Amino acid sequence: MIKHKQLLLLTIIFLSALAYIDFHVQPVKAARWLAGYQYRKPIIVNGTSGAGMDYQLKFFVWRGTGSDEGFNVHLGGKCLPTYGDVRFTISDGVTKCPYYIYSATSDYAAIWVKVLSDISVDQTLYIYYGNLTTETGSPESNLDETFVFAEPWDNSNLNTDRWINDGGGTISIDPVLHRVTVSGTTGFTLRSKNYISFPAAYIVEDFYADKGNIYGYSTHNYASATCYGTFAVHFGSWSSGYYGIMHVTRCPEYQGTSPAGYRVKILWGVGDGDKSWTQSGTSTVTFNFRFEKVLSGTCNVYCSLGSTHTEANDYVPNRVIIYWAGSSNGLFVTGAFKIRKYVSPEPAIKEYGVEETLGGMEASITVKAEPNWIPNGMFKLDNETRVIPYSATIAAGQHSLTALDEQVTLNVTHIYNFKCWKKNGAVYSYEPSCQFTIDISETFEFTIVYEAYKVEVSTTPEGLTADFEADGWNLQTPTTIYRGPGYHTFKALTTIVYYNSTHLLKFMGWFVNDLFISPNENINLYIAKNSTVKIAYSFTETPQAPPMTFRAQLVSLGDLAPGSTKEFAITILFDQQAITVEKIEFQTKKEWFEILTPLPTQASRGLETLGTATVSAKLTTPHNVQGYYNIPFTVTAKTSQQQTITTTSYVTFNISAQPSITETTITAGGFFESIQRLLGNPIILLLLIALIIWLSSYSLKKK
């Protein structure tokens, strides 16, 4: 009996605990945090079938306190009066959603957000506020990034980033009433400039009212029979047989009743004029309209002048058009509109999570320099300038780093240049600016790596003392300096040297790594490795530049089978700024070779000491030959000064066949060619002469 009472007591306790359990869907707390923000609040969106990604939701963001429900969220006075520090992200906490601040007052802002996650199922979003960085107050509100397409007509000048006029006519925008008027005697189309990617289901509605109808108005001259105006979503050009996938169109209709003449007729529908209405009393008409396409493929065209036209249509629009053709007394007016993704019922907000603060969401970072004796390097962390060495706790999330000192001057001989960023010892980025994402409790060690190459500066002839300038510093040869990778300025200050009492030397030019670079006293030298720089002096009044480098490398193809084909590359080295390879000629066995690269072909040295030109060729060996071949070839090219230059090199290869047990075939050509190659070998020739002498002496002894 006691056991039963104990079991009953435990059951009552368990059921009481269940009564206090919150079965609501709880947001998964994002480990990452949007850099620079003090607060955020989770928003759980109720998944709605067909909503998918990139759905636009409209939030009312209140600066004060209140109950968060529906699309109303309160920030408790922790955001700016301009709402410039408000951002939205998906569930990872750092991927920002495009948004547009539709309107704002001192109390609240209406903000449209394009959700970059699939809200066909429940999703968590975050609203961030309370930015602590220098970016505070810089909104990222962007109309064109948020909607499929939208036009508020809020500027008297046509937005040429959105629209293009395919003809003449007159376009007038009223930024107060938010309307555009098209008119004139010339037929023309005002169309969206870029192709629009329409979703499977969408709504074309008034810009300033959700599911609101767009304003329309038209007037007409009784005497004119050629007056058309259309607003449509379309895939091509306007025609009288196809006004648009969904459209509203005004056109003329003649009536004989007084006053006799052409009246305004309004058509709306899919493709052509499915529904119509004619103004009987005057030549003007005001109306409102809206387009919807649902996931099933059905198009609904609403018009205030009559019933809704519903029709299935599988055409996919890619533009918005406003068309006009008519008389000087006619015009066509449409109001502001927006196009957004749309399903019915639309997604709703399930609930809001509690406000989260930056505290407890930190990670740590250190920044140092390499070499570690580089003093006081400067960098930016999230737009705040810092000094190396640096160590701090930062918010988990996405951050940016920028090396401010791309060149560090230690003294007259040592100038280091930025090379890369390292993260935890590994190369992270070769750009001075980079971004990184850090999670809660993670520790990153960043290193700004600086580099310098050894540059030995002397003279030729050797042993001279000459003054020169490097990067604005006065130096004297011979000396060793260190310069980071990149361009550096050099200037010869000593232009005349008294070699002895009888000989005078004059400045001739610069050698870098034993190659003549320039005859100018000032040079801009790119240093990418340890280098030798020589200031050259000459006894001649007008020194001549040393011979240029132009050579083709030896090509070794190894062993080849008779009747085989081998493609190979001919590599040409040159020290000119640019050359044009005009022809390549093989001195023997020309019929065996084919040049594959179309000639002439150009090559440039760029910033390298020696440039490389590569020409593809093909060797086809005959079936009936064997032996070792050393084929000379000549390369002819022209410099940028139209000087013809040539060089010679060789292609070497050995043609040999695998021996056959069952059959051996020696052709006449192959036999004689083999004999010629044997006799051409000096060792074999000496052995053959010795054999002949021995046989001759042996014969004489026999006699």
Side-chain angles (χ1 to χ4, degrees), residues 552-560 564-572 584-599 613-621 629-635 649-654:
Q553 293 185 333
L554 178 71
V555 180
S556 178
L557 301 182
D559 293 325
L560 302 175
S564 64
T565 298
K566 177 76 171 181
E567 291 187 7
F568 60 96
I570 297 172
T571 302
I572 305 155
I584 296 178
E585 295 178 299
F586 294 90
Q587 305 304 311
T588 62
K589 310 300 181 186
K590 298 180 180 180
E591 67 278 8
W592 294 8
F593 295 89
E594 178 185 354
I595 301 297
L596 302 178
T597 300
L599 298 180
T614 303
V615 176
S616 298
K618 183 172 70 174
L619 165 66
T620 302
T621 62
Y629 291 87
N630 191 19
I631 308 297
F633 64 89
T634 301
V635 180
S649 188
Y650 296 85
V651 179
T652 65
F653 53 92
N654 182 55

Side-chain angles (χ1 to χ4, degrees), residues 79 254 279 294 549 554 646:
C79 73
Y254 184 81
Q279 175 63 275
V294 299
T549 298
L554 178 71
T646 61

Side-chain angles (χ1 to χ4, degrees), residues 311-422:
E311 180 180 331
N313 186 285
D314 57 3
Y315 285 132
V316 179
N318 59 18
R319 68 194 68 183
V320 175
I321 67 168
I322 301 174
Y323 174 79
W324 173 258
S327 68
S328 59
N329 293 329
L331 53 83
F332 184 67
V333 182
T334 56
F337 67 95
K338 63 181 179 290
I339 304 174
R340 62 181 178 89
K341 203 167 187 179
Y342 176 73
V343 295
S344 182
E346 295 205 69
I349 301 303
K350 181 172 287 187
E351 60 182 315
Y352 290 85
V354 297
E355 181 181 79
E356 300 173 6
T357 61
L358 183 61
M361 302 292 290
E362 291 104 354
S364 60
I365 180 177
T366 60
V367 181
K368 62 181 183 177
E370 181 184 309
N372 57 13
W373 40 262
I374 296 285
N376 302 324
M378 306 286 286
F379 71 98
K380 277 189 175 183
L381 173 62
D382 296 330
N383 294 314
E384 292 291 334
T385 301
R386 308 294 184 187
V387 179
I388 296 172
Y390 176 80
S391 180
T393 298
I394 60 174
Q398 190 175 59
H399 299 270
S400 63
L401 286 170
T402 301
L404 298 180
D405 301 314
E406 294 193 41
Q407 187 176 84
V408 177
T409 301
L410 300 181
N411 50 43
V412 62
T413 57
H414 288 70
I415 297 179
Y416 281 70
N417 280 20
F418 170 84
K419 180 183 179 181
C420 67
W421 281 96
K422 285 184 179 180

Side-chain angles (χ1 to χ4, degrees), residues 103-153:
S103 64
T105 69
S106 59
D107 295 325
Y108 74 93
I111 303 178
W112 280 98
V113 180
K114 182 165 79 171
V115 181
L116 299 183
S117 53
D118 183 3
I119 56 174
S120 296
V121 295
D122 288 4
Q123 292 286 356
T124 297
L125 308 179
Y126 286 96
I127 179 171
Y128 281 87
Y129 46 100
N131 191 314
L132 303 179
T133 72
T134 55
E135 292 180 350
T136 298
S138 300
E140 296 178 354
S141 174
N142 191 306
L143 172 71
D144 297 306
E145 290 292 328
T146 303
F147 295 105
V148 177
F149 188 79
E151 180 52 76
W153 303 125

Side-chain angles (χ1 to χ4, degrees), residues 489-634:
T489 58
F490 286 76
K491 180 181 180 180
L493 300 178
T494 300
T495 57
I496 297 177
V497 178
Y498 288 92
Y499 190 63
N500 51 38
S501 60
T502 59
H503 289 82
L504 182 69
L505 299 178
K506 289 189 176 182
F507 172 80
M508 171 185 166
W510 295 87
F511 282 82
V512 177
N513 298 329
D514 295 326
L515 292 173
F516 186 75
I517 295 299
S518 172
N520 299 321
E521 295 175 13
N522 295 277
I523 61 171
N524 198 25
L525 180 62
Y526 190 87
I527 296 176
K529 60 181 180 180
N530 293 339
S531 303
T532 59
V533 175
K534 292 183 179 180
I535 308 174
Y537 295 89
S538 173
F539 292 107
T540 59
E541 188 68 28
T542 308
Q544 299 295 319
M548 68 181 69
T549 298
F550 179 67
R551 67 177 183 270
Q553 293 185 333
L554 178 71
V555 180
S556 178
L557 301 182
D559 293 325
L560 302 175
S564 64
T565 298
K566 177 76 171 181
E567 291 187 7
F568 60 96
I570 297 172
T571 302
I572 305 155
L573 303 178
F574 59 93
D575 63 358
Q576 295 292 294
Q577 189 61 44
I579 64 169
T580 301
V581 180
E582 298 206 323
K583 61 181 178 179
I584 296 178
E585 295 178 299
F586 294 90
Q587 305 304 311
T588 62
K589 310 300 181 186
K590 298 180 180 180
E591 67 278 8
W592 294 8
F593 295 89
E594 178 185 354
I595 301 297
L596 302 178
T597 300
L599 298 180
T601 182
Q602 292 185 332
S604 174
R605 174 166 61 87
L607 299 176
E608 300 297 328
T609 303
L610 286 178
T612 302
T614 303
V615 176
S616 298
K618 183 172 70 174
L619 165 66
T620 302
T621 62
H623 291 278
N624 57 348
V625 299
Q626 296 186 42
Y628 177 81
Y629 291 87
N630 191 19
I631 308 297
F633 64 89
T634 301

Side-chain angles (χ1 to χ4, degrees), residues 27 57 75 99 109 169 203 230 325 377 406 454 497 530 563 602-603 606 611 635:
L57 299 177
L75 307 185
Y99 71 92
I203 185 170
T230 294
E406 294 193 41
K454 182 180 180 181
V497 178
N530 293 339
Q602 292 185 332
V635 180

Side-chain angles (χ1 to χ4, degrees), residues 388-466:
I388 296 172
Y390 176 80
S391 180
T393 298
I394 60 174
Q398 190 175 59
H399 299 270
S400 63
L401 286 170
T402 301
L404 298 180
D405 301 314
E406 294 193 41
Q407 187 176 84
V408 177
T409 301
L410 300 181
N411 50 43
V412 62
T413 57
H414 288 70
I415 297 179
Y416 281 70
N417 280 20
F418 170 84
K419 180 183 179 181
C420 67
W421 281 96
K422 285 184 179 180
K423 187 182 82 171
N424 296 337
V427 173
Y428 185 69
S429 173
Y430 286 100
E431 297 296 327
S433 295
C434 64
Q435 290 188 330
F436 67 94
T437 300
I438 190 168
D439 288 338
I440 299 170
S441 301
E442 277 193 308
T443 298
F444 286 170
E445 180 184 83
F446 283 96
T447 305
I448 308 179
V449 180
Y450 295 94
E451 188 174 42
Y453 296 110
K454 182 180 180 181
V455 181
E456 296 180 274
V457 187
S458 60
T459 60
T460 181
E462 295 182 358
L464 301 177
T465 298

